[in-house]
Protein backbone atom coordinates (compact mmCIF):
# COMPACT_ATOMS: atom_id res chain seq x y z
CA UNK A 1 0.00 0.00 0.00
CA UNK A 2 2.87 2.33 0.80
CA UNK A 3 4.17 1.89 -2.74
CA UNK A 4 0.72 2.58 -4.23
CA UNK A 5 0.31 5.78 -2.21
CA UNK A 6 3.85 6.87 -3.10
CA UNK A 7 3.28 6.13 -6.79
CA UNK A 8 0.01 8.06 -6.72
CA UNK A 9 1.71 11.08 -5.17
CA UNK A 10 4.45 10.97 -7.83
CA UNK A 11 1.81 10.71 -10.56
CA UNK A 12 -0.09 13.73 -9.22
CA UNK A 13 3.10 15.80 -8.96
CA UNK A 14 4.09 14.79 -12.49
CA UNK A 15 0.71 15.81 -13.91
CA UNK A 16 0.80 19.18 -12.15
CA UNK A 17 4.38 19.84 -13.29
CA UNK A 18 3.58 18.84 -16.86
CA UNK A 19 0.58 21.18 -16.89
CA UNK A 20 2.68 24.04 -15.56
CA UNK A 21 5.42 23.47 -18.11
CA UNK A 22 2.90 23.22 -20.92
CA UNK A 23 1.41 26.54 -19.87
CA UNK A 24 4.82 28.20 -19.60
CA UNK A 25 5.93 26.90 -23.01
CA UNK A 26 2.78 28.09 -24.75
CA UNK A 27 1.05 24.88 -25.82
CA UNK A 28 -1.29 26.80 -28.15
CA UNK A 29 1.47 28.80 -29.83
CA UNK A 30 2.16 28.58 -33.56
CA UNK A 31 4.81 26.18 -34.79
CA UNK A 32 8.34 27.48 -34.43
CA UNK A 33 9.20 26.89 -38.09
CA UNK A 34 6.31 29.11 -39.14
CA UNK A 35 7.37 31.76 -36.62
CA UNK A 36 10.90 31.79 -38.03
CA UNK A 37 9.66 32.05 -41.58
CA UNK A 38 7.26 34.87 -40.72
CA UNK A 39 9.90 37.00 -38.98
CA UNK A 40 12.70 35.96 -41.38
CA UNK A 41 15.06 35.34 -38.44
CA UNK A 42 16.03 32.53 -36.12
CA UNK A 43 16.18 33.61 -32.47
CA UNK A 44 19.02 31.61 -30.97
CA UNK A 45 20.01 31.57 -27.30
CA UNK A 46 23.77 31.51 -26.61
CA UNK A 47 25.84 32.15 -23.52
CA UNK A 48 29.23 33.81 -23.24
CA UNK A 49 31.11 30.51 -23.00
CA UNK A 50 34.55 31.71 -24.05
CA UNK A 51 36.72 31.97 -27.13
CA UNK A 52 36.01 29.20 -29.60
CA UNK A 53 32.59 28.38 -28.15
CA UNK A 54 30.65 31.65 -28.02
CA UNK A 55 32.04 35.13 -27.44
CA UNK A 56 31.51 38.64 -28.80
CA UNK A 57 34.46 39.86 -30.87
CA UNK A 58 35.90 43.38 -31.04
CA UNK A 59 33.36 44.27 -33.74
CA UNK A 60 30.43 43.25 -31.56
CA UNK A 61 29.70 40.01 -33.45
CA UNK A 62 29.14 36.63 -31.86
CA UNK A 63 31.73 34.02 -32.90
CA UNK A 64 32.34 30.39 -31.99
CA UNK A 65 31.24 26.78 -32.31
CA UNK A 66 27.83 27.30 -30.67
CA UNK A 67 27.32 30.42 -32.78
CA UNK A 68 27.95 28.42 -35.96
CA UNK A 69 25.41 25.83 -34.79
CA UNK A 70 22.89 28.68 -34.73
CA UNK A 71 24.03 29.80 -38.17
CA UNK A 72 23.74 26.28 -39.59
CA UNK A 73 20.14 26.06 -38.39
CA UNK A 74 19.37 29.51 -39.77
CA UNK A 75 20.77 28.49 -43.15
CA UNK A 76 18.42 25.52 -43.18
CA UNK A 77 15.21 27.22 -42.02
CA UNK A 78 15.58 30.96 -42.68
CA UNK A 79 17.38 30.78 -46.02
CA UNK A 80 20.75 32.20 -44.93
CA UNK A 81 23.21 31.64 -42.11
CA UNK A 82 23.26 35.34 -41.22
CA UNK A 83 19.53 35.49 -40.48
CA UNK A 84 20.03 34.98 -36.73
CA UNK A 85 19.14 37.13 -33.75
CA UNK A 86 21.40 36.10 -30.87
CA UNK A 87 19.88 36.28 -27.40
CA UNK A 88 22.34 35.99 -24.52
CA UNK A 89 21.46 33.41 -21.89
CA UNK A 90 23.12 32.18 -18.70
CA UNK A 91 22.99 29.18 -16.37
CA UNK A 92 20.09 30.68 -14.42
CA UNK A 93 17.70 31.69 -17.21
CA UNK A 94 18.49 29.39 -20.17
CA UNK A 95 15.59 26.98 -19.56
CA UNK A 96 12.99 29.68 -18.82
CA UNK A 97 13.96 31.77 -21.85
CA UNK A 98 13.35 28.77 -24.07
CA UNK A 99 10.12 27.66 -22.40
CA UNK A 100 8.54 31.13 -22.52
CA UNK A 101 9.25 31.54 -26.23
CA UNK A 102 11.90 34.26 -26.12
CA UNK A 103 14.13 32.06 -28.31
CA UNK A 104 13.49 29.29 -30.82
CA UNK A 105 16.44 27.16 -29.70
CA UNK A 106 19.29 27.33 -27.19
CA UNK A 107 22.78 26.48 -28.49
CA UNK A 108 25.30 26.41 -25.66
CA UNK A 109 27.05 24.08 -23.27
CA UNK A 110 24.05 22.53 -21.58
CA UNK A 111 24.53 18.91 -20.52
CA UNK A 112 21.83 16.45 -21.57
CA UNK A 113 20.58 14.63 -18.46
CA UNK A 114 17.53 12.53 -17.74
CA UNK A 115 16.27 15.03 -15.14
CA UNK A 116 16.45 17.92 -17.59
CA UNK A 117 14.98 15.87 -20.42
CA UNK A 118 12.07 14.58 -18.35
CA UNK A 119 11.22 17.41 -15.93
CA UNK A 120 12.58 20.77 -17.16
CA UNK A 121 10.19 21.27 -20.07
CA UNK A 122 12.94 21.03 -22.70
CA UNK A 123 14.11 18.45 -25.22
CA UNK A 124 17.62 17.61 -26.45
CA UNK A 125 17.50 16.59 -30.13
CA UNK A 126 21.16 15.58 -30.50
CA UNK A 127 24.68 15.83 -29.02
CA UNK A 128 27.00 18.22 -30.85
CA UNK A 129 29.94 18.12 -28.43
CA UNK A 130 31.12 15.25 -26.26
CA UNK A 131 33.00 16.58 -23.27
CA UNK A 132 33.89 15.86 -19.64
CA UNK A 133 34.18 17.97 -16.51
CA UNK A 134 37.72 19.01 -15.67
CA UNK A 135 39.75 21.43 -13.56
CA UNK A 136 42.07 24.37 -14.10
CA UNK A 137 44.71 25.27 -11.51
CA UNK A 138 47.26 28.00 -10.89
CA UNK A 139 50.54 26.81 -12.40
CA UNK A 140 52.43 28.34 -9.47
CA UNK A 141 50.91 25.66 -7.23
CA UNK A 142 53.06 23.09 -9.02
CA UNK A 143 50.30 20.50 -9.36
CA UNK A 144 50.06 18.07 -12.27
CA UNK A 145 47.06 16.03 -11.09
CA UNK A 146 44.19 16.41 -8.67
CA UNK A 147 45.91 14.02 -6.25
CA UNK A 148 48.78 16.53 -5.92
CA UNK A 149 46.50 19.05 -4.21
CA UNK A 150 46.44 19.27 -0.41
CA UNK A 151 43.33 18.25 1.51
CA UNK A 152 40.92 21.14 1.76
CA UNK A 153 41.94 22.83 -1.50
CA UNK A 154 39.19 25.18 -2.64
CA UNK A 155 37.19 24.90 -5.88
CA UNK A 156 35.09 27.63 -7.48
CA UNK A 157 32.00 26.11 -9.12
CA UNK A 158 28.83 27.56 -10.63
CA UNK A 159 25.61 27.11 -8.66
CA UNK A 160 22.57 25.23 -10.01
CA UNK A 161 24.56 23.24 -12.57
CA UNK A 162 25.39 19.61 -13.22
CA UNK A 163 28.98 20.73 -12.62
CA UNK A 164 28.30 21.20 -8.91
CA UNK A 165 26.41 17.91 -8.60
CA UNK A 166 29.11 16.02 -10.49
CA UNK A 167 31.77 17.41 -8.17
CA UNK A 168 29.84 16.47 -5.04
CA UNK A 169 29.28 12.94 -6.36
CA UNK A 170 32.88 12.52 -7.43
CA UNK A 171 34.17 13.61 -4.00
CA UNK A 172 31.88 11.08 -2.35
CA UNK A 173 33.22 8.29 -4.60
CA UNK A 174 36.90 9.23 -4.61
CA UNK A 175 37.34 10.19 -0.99
CA UNK A 176 39.12 13.44 -1.95
CA UNK A 177 37.80 16.44 -0.08
CA UNK A 178 37.76 19.94 -1.50
CA UNK A 179 36.18 23.09 -0.08
CA UNK A 180 33.45 24.09 -2.52
CA UNK A 181 32.86 27.76 -3.24
CA UNK A 182 29.61 27.99 -5.24
CA UNK A 183 29.25 31.18 -7.30
CA UNK A 184 26.11 32.30 -9.15
CA UNK A 185 27.62 32.95 -12.58
CA UNK A 186 30.45 31.89 -14.88
CA UNK A 187 31.89 35.40 -14.79
CA UNK A 188 31.83 35.46 -10.99
CA UNK A 189 33.46 32.04 -10.64
CA UNK A 190 36.23 32.88 -13.12
CA UNK A 191 36.87 36.23 -11.47
CA UNK A 192 37.18 34.53 -8.08
CA UNK A 193 39.57 31.92 -9.48
CA UNK A 194 41.82 34.32 -11.40
CA UNK A 195 41.98 36.56 -8.31
CA UNK A 196 43.23 33.61 -6.21
CA UNK A 197 40.09 33.27 -4.07
CA UNK A 198 40.13 29.54 -4.88
CA UNK A 199 42.73 26.98 -5.88
CA UNK A 200 40.74 25.43 -8.73
CA UNK A 201 37.93 26.23 -11.10
CA UNK A 202 35.86 23.40 -12.58
CA UNK A 203 33.77 23.26 -15.75
CA UNK A 204 33.59 21.35 -19.04
CA UNK A 205 37.11 20.76 -20.34
CA UNK A 206 36.54 22.42 -23.72
CA UNK A 207 35.13 25.42 -21.90
CA UNK A 208 38.22 25.56 -19.68
CA UNK A 209 40.44 25.88 -22.76
CA UNK A 210 38.18 28.63 -24.10
CA UNK A 211 38.00 30.57 -20.84
CA UNK A 212 41.75 30.34 -20.29
CA UNK A 213 42.34 31.83 -23.74
CA UNK A 214 39.73 34.58 -23.36
CA UNK A 215 39.75 35.48 -19.68
CA UNK A 216 43.09 34.53 -18.10
CA UNK A 217 45.41 37.46 -17.29
CA UNK A 218 48.32 35.32 -18.58
CA UNK A 219 47.43 32.06 -20.33
CA UNK A 220 50.65 30.28 -19.35
CA UNK A 221 50.01 30.92 -15.64
CA UNK A 222 47.26 28.29 -15.60
CA UNK A 223 47.26 24.55 -16.23
CA UNK A 224 44.29 22.35 -17.18
CA UNK A 225 44.60 19.10 -15.25
CA UNK A 226 44.23 15.78 -17.13
CA UNK A 227 41.35 14.27 -15.12
CA UNK A 228 37.78 14.21 -16.39
CA UNK A 229 35.28 13.31 -13.68
CA UNK A 230 32.06 13.09 -15.68
CA UNK A 231 30.38 12.57 -19.03
CA UNK A 232 29.15 15.83 -20.52
CA UNK A 233 27.06 15.30 -23.67
CA UNK A 234 26.31 18.85 -24.81
CA UNK A 235 23.49 19.62 -27.18
CA UNK A 236 20.89 22.13 -28.36
CA UNK A 237 17.63 22.56 -26.46
CA UNK A 238 14.13 22.97 -27.90
CA UNK A 239 10.64 23.03 -26.44
CA UNK A 240 9.06 19.58 -26.05
CA UNK A 241 5.81 20.23 -27.89
CA UNK A 242 6.95 20.25 -31.54
CA UNK A 243 8.20 17.07 -33.13
CA UNK A 244 8.93 18.65 -36.50
CA UNK A 245 11.10 21.41 -35.01
CA UNK A 246 12.90 18.78 -32.91
CA UNK A 247 13.71 16.86 -36.12
CA UNK A 248 14.82 19.99 -37.98
CA UNK A 249 17.25 21.04 -35.23
CA UNK A 250 18.62 17.50 -35.04
CA UNK A 251 19.12 17.13 -38.80
CA UNK A 252 20.58 20.61 -39.29
CA UNK A 253 23.42 19.41 -37.06
CA UNK A 254 23.56 15.87 -38.49
CA UNK A 255 23.89 17.42 -41.96
CA UNK A 256 27.29 18.80 -40.92
CA UNK A 257 28.39 15.34 -39.78
CA UNK A 258 27.03 13.58 -42.86
CA UNK A 259 28.80 16.11 -45.07
CA UNK A 260 32.13 15.38 -43.38
CA UNK A 261 31.53 11.63 -43.71
CA UNK A 262 30.91 12.07 -47.44
CA UNK A 263 33.86 14.42 -48.01
CA UNK A 264 31.57 17.36 -48.78
CA UNK A 265 33.05 20.74 -47.83
CA UNK A 266 32.09 24.37 -48.15
CA UNK A 267 34.51 24.62 -51.09
CA UNK A 268 33.46 21.57 -53.13
CA UNK A 269 29.71 21.30 -52.40
CA UNK A 270 28.64 23.31 -55.47
CA UNK A 271 30.80 21.19 -57.79
CA UNK A 272 29.58 17.94 -56.23
CA UNK A 273 26.00 19.07 -56.63
CA UNK A 274 26.62 19.30 -60.37
CA UNK A 275 28.92 16.30 -60.86
CA UNK A 276 28.42 13.70 -58.11
CA UNK A 277 27.01 10.32 -59.16
CA UNK A 278 26.45 8.92 -55.65
CA UNK A 279 22.64 8.98 -55.07
CA UNK A 280 23.06 9.80 -51.36
CA UNK A 281 25.34 12.76 -52.10
CA UNK A 282 23.06 14.04 -54.86
CA UNK A 283 19.99 13.83 -52.64
CA UNK A 284 21.79 15.44 -49.69
CA UNK A 285 22.86 18.40 -51.83
CA UNK A 286 19.44 18.87 -53.39
CA UNK A 287 20.40 17.66 -56.85
CA UNK A 288 17.75 14.96 -56.49
CA UNK A 289 14.38 15.67 -54.91
CA UNK A 290 13.24 14.58 -51.48
CA UNK A 291 15.67 15.61 -48.73
CA UNK A 292 13.52 18.49 -47.48
CA UNK A 293 9.97 17.18 -47.83
CA UNK A 294 9.63 15.32 -44.52
CA UNK A 295 11.01 18.29 -42.56
CA UNK A 296 8.85 20.88 -44.24
CA UNK A 297 11.91 22.43 -45.88
CA UNK A 298 13.05 22.92 -49.46
CA UNK A 299 15.56 20.52 -50.98
CA UNK A 300 18.49 22.96 -50.80
CA UNK A 301 18.51 23.29 -47.00
CA UNK A 302 21.50 20.96 -46.41
CA UNK A 303 23.39 22.50 -49.34
CA UNK A 304 23.01 25.93 -47.68
CA UNK A 305 24.24 24.56 -44.34
CA UNK A 306 27.45 23.19 -45.85
CA UNK A 307 28.23 26.02 -48.27
CA UNK A 308 27.50 28.80 -45.77
CA UNK A 309 28.83 27.25 -42.53
CA UNK A 310 30.80 24.11 -43.42
CA UNK A 311 30.88 20.47 -42.44
CA UNK A 312 31.41 19.39 -38.83
CA UNK A 313 35.18 19.04 -39.17
CA UNK A 314 35.48 22.50 -40.68
CA UNK A 315 33.39 24.05 -37.90
CA UNK A 316 35.28 22.24 -35.12
CA UNK A 317 38.72 23.00 -36.54
CA UNK A 318 37.87 26.65 -37.19
CA UNK A 319 36.81 27.36 -33.62
CA UNK A 320 38.25 24.65 -31.38
CA UNK A 321 40.72 22.47 -33.29
CA UNK A 322 43.86 22.65 -35.39
CA UNK A 323 43.00 25.91 -37.16
CA UNK A 324 42.09 27.73 -33.91
CA UNK A 325 44.18 29.24 -31.10
CA UNK A 326 42.82 26.51 -28.80
CA UNK A 327 44.23 23.60 -30.81
CA UNK A 328 42.03 21.00 -29.09
CA UNK A 329 42.32 17.44 -30.43
CA UNK A 330 39.10 16.04 -31.93
CA UNK A 331 39.20 12.97 -29.65
CA UNK A 332 35.63 11.89 -28.86
CA UNK A 333 34.38 14.54 -31.29
CA UNK A 334 35.93 12.80 -34.26
CA UNK A 335 33.90 10.78 -36.75
CA UNK A 336 33.06 7.18 -35.94
CA UNK A 337 35.39 5.85 -38.64
CA UNK A 338 38.28 7.71 -36.96
CA UNK A 339 37.54 6.43 -33.45
CA UNK A 340 35.23 9.26 -32.44
CA UNK A 341 31.59 9.27 -31.37
CA UNK A 342 29.93 11.33 -34.12
CA UNK A 343 27.79 9.25 -36.45
CA UNK A 344 25.06 10.44 -38.82
CA UNK A 345 22.22 8.11 -39.83
CA UNK A 346 21.80 7.69 -43.60
CA UNK A 347 19.18 9.68 -45.48
CA UNK A 348 17.41 6.51 -46.55
CA UNK A 349 14.64 6.38 -49.06
Amino acid sequence: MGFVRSFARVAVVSVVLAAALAASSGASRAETLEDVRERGLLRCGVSSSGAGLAAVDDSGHWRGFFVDMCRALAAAVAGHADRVEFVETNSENRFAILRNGEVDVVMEGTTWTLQRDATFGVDFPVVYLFDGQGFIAHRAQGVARLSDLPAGASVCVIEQTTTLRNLEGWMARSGLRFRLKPVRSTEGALSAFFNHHCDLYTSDRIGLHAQRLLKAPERDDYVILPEAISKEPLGPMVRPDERRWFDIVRWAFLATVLAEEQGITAANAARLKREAQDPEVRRFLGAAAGVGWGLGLDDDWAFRVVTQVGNYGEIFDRHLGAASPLGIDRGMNGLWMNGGLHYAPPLGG
Side-chain angles (χ1 to χ4, degrees):
M1 292 296 292
F3 171 79
V4 172
R5 286 195 298 271
S6 176
F7 182 82
R9 284 195 296 271
V10 171
V12 170
V13 170
S14 298
V15 169
V16 172
L17 179 60
L21 291 175
S24 67
S25 63
S28 61
R29 63 187 304 284
E31 281 200 10
T32 300
L33 178 59
E34 306 310 321
D35 290 347
V36 172
R37 284 173 169 162
E38 183 174 343
R39 80 173 80 95
L41 283 173
L42 173 76
R43 294 182 305 190
C44 195
V46 293
S47 64
S48 185
S49 306
L53 291 172
V56 178
D57 65 16
D58 293 339
S59 301
H61 298 113
W62 283 95
R63 307 287 183 197
F65 177 90
F66 296 141
V67 175
D68 269 358
M69 292 296 108
C70 295
R71 298 181 68 249
L73 180 59
V77 299
H80 198 280
D82 292 337
R83 293 179 185 168
V84 186
E85 176 187 346
F86 295 102
V87 178
E88 187 165 3
T89 66
N90 56 50
S91 59
E92 295 180 86
N93 67 14
R94 53 188 164 171
F95 303 106
I97 279 180
L98 177 63
R99 289 195 302 260
N100 67 23
E102 291 181 52
V103 296
D104 306 309
V105 63
V106 172
M107 300 276 198
E108 46 108 87
T110 302
T111 302
W112 181 3
T113 70
L114 184 150
Q115 183 181 21
R116 289 172 172 173
D117 211 6
T119 67
F120 277 35
V122 299
D123 268 348
F124 293 83
V126 74
V127 175
Y128 46 39
L129 276 179
F130 293 96
D131 204 356
Q133 184 175 330
F135 298 84
I136 186 171
H138 302 275
R139 191 177 294 276
Q141 293 172 298
V143 300
R145 306 187 67 84
L146 286 173
S147 57
D148 296 336
L149 288 155
S154 57
V155 185
C156 282
V157 58
I158 305 168
E159 294 178 347
Q160 301 180 35
T161 60
T162 57
T163 309
L164 176 57
R165 291 190 290 275
N166 290 339
L167 182 53
E168 291 170 335
W170 176 80
M171 286 195 302
R173 294 190 303 272
S174 69
L176 289 179
R177 290 291 179 265
F178 296 140
R179 287 185 296 115
L180 305 189
K181 292 189 174 183
V183 184
R184 289 189 61 182
S185 68
T186 302
E187 293 297 320
L190 285 167
S191 176
F193 170 69
F194 289 132
N195 284 289
H196 293 268
H197 297 308
C198 42
D199 300 309
L200 299 167
Y201 168 68
T202 183
S203 186
D204 298 340
R205 286 178 56 81
I206 291 175
L208 293 178
H209 284 274
Q211 296 290 7
R212 182 175 63 173
L213 178 66
L214 185 68
K215 302 291 187 180
E218 292 291 339
R219 180 180 181 183
D220 291 341
D221 288 347
Y222 305 92
V223 57
I224 296 172
L225 302 182
E227 291 91 347
I229 65 169
S230 70
K231 296 181 295 184
E232 302 296 330
L234 310 180
M237 293 191 295
V238 298
R239 287 177 290 273
D241 52 348
E242 294 183 61
R243 180 65 199 201
R244 182 168 70 167
W245 185 245
F246 178 101
D247 287 341
I248 289 171
V249 173
R250 176 167 60 186
W251 277 98
F253 166 72
L254 289 175
T256 69
V257 177
L258 188 58
E260 186 180 9
E261 289 179 348
Q262 297 284 357
I264 304 169
T265 68
N268 69 17
R271 176 180 61 78
L272 290 175
K273 186 174 182 177
R274 295 191 305 270
E275 300 175 3
Q277 300 301 309
D278 186 313
E280 182 95 341
V281 172
R282 288 180 50 77
R283 189 174 176 214
F284 176 81
L285 293 173
V291 75
W293 178 81
L295 298 173
L297 302 176
D298 65 285
D299 285 335
D300 278 336
W301 69 268
F303 177 76
R304 290 193 298 271
V305 169
V306 179
T307 55
Q308 296 177 23
V309 186
N311 68 34
Y312 185 82
E314 291 176 299
I315 296 168
F316 188 97
D317 287 347
R318 179 163 66 238
H319 297 297
L320 303 172
S324 79
L326 295 177
I328 298 172
D329 185 77
R330 288 282 293 271
M332 293 184 293
N333 290 295
L335 295 181
W336 62 278
M337 69 267 282
N338 299 324
L341 298 179
H342 284 299
Y343 185 111
L347 297 179

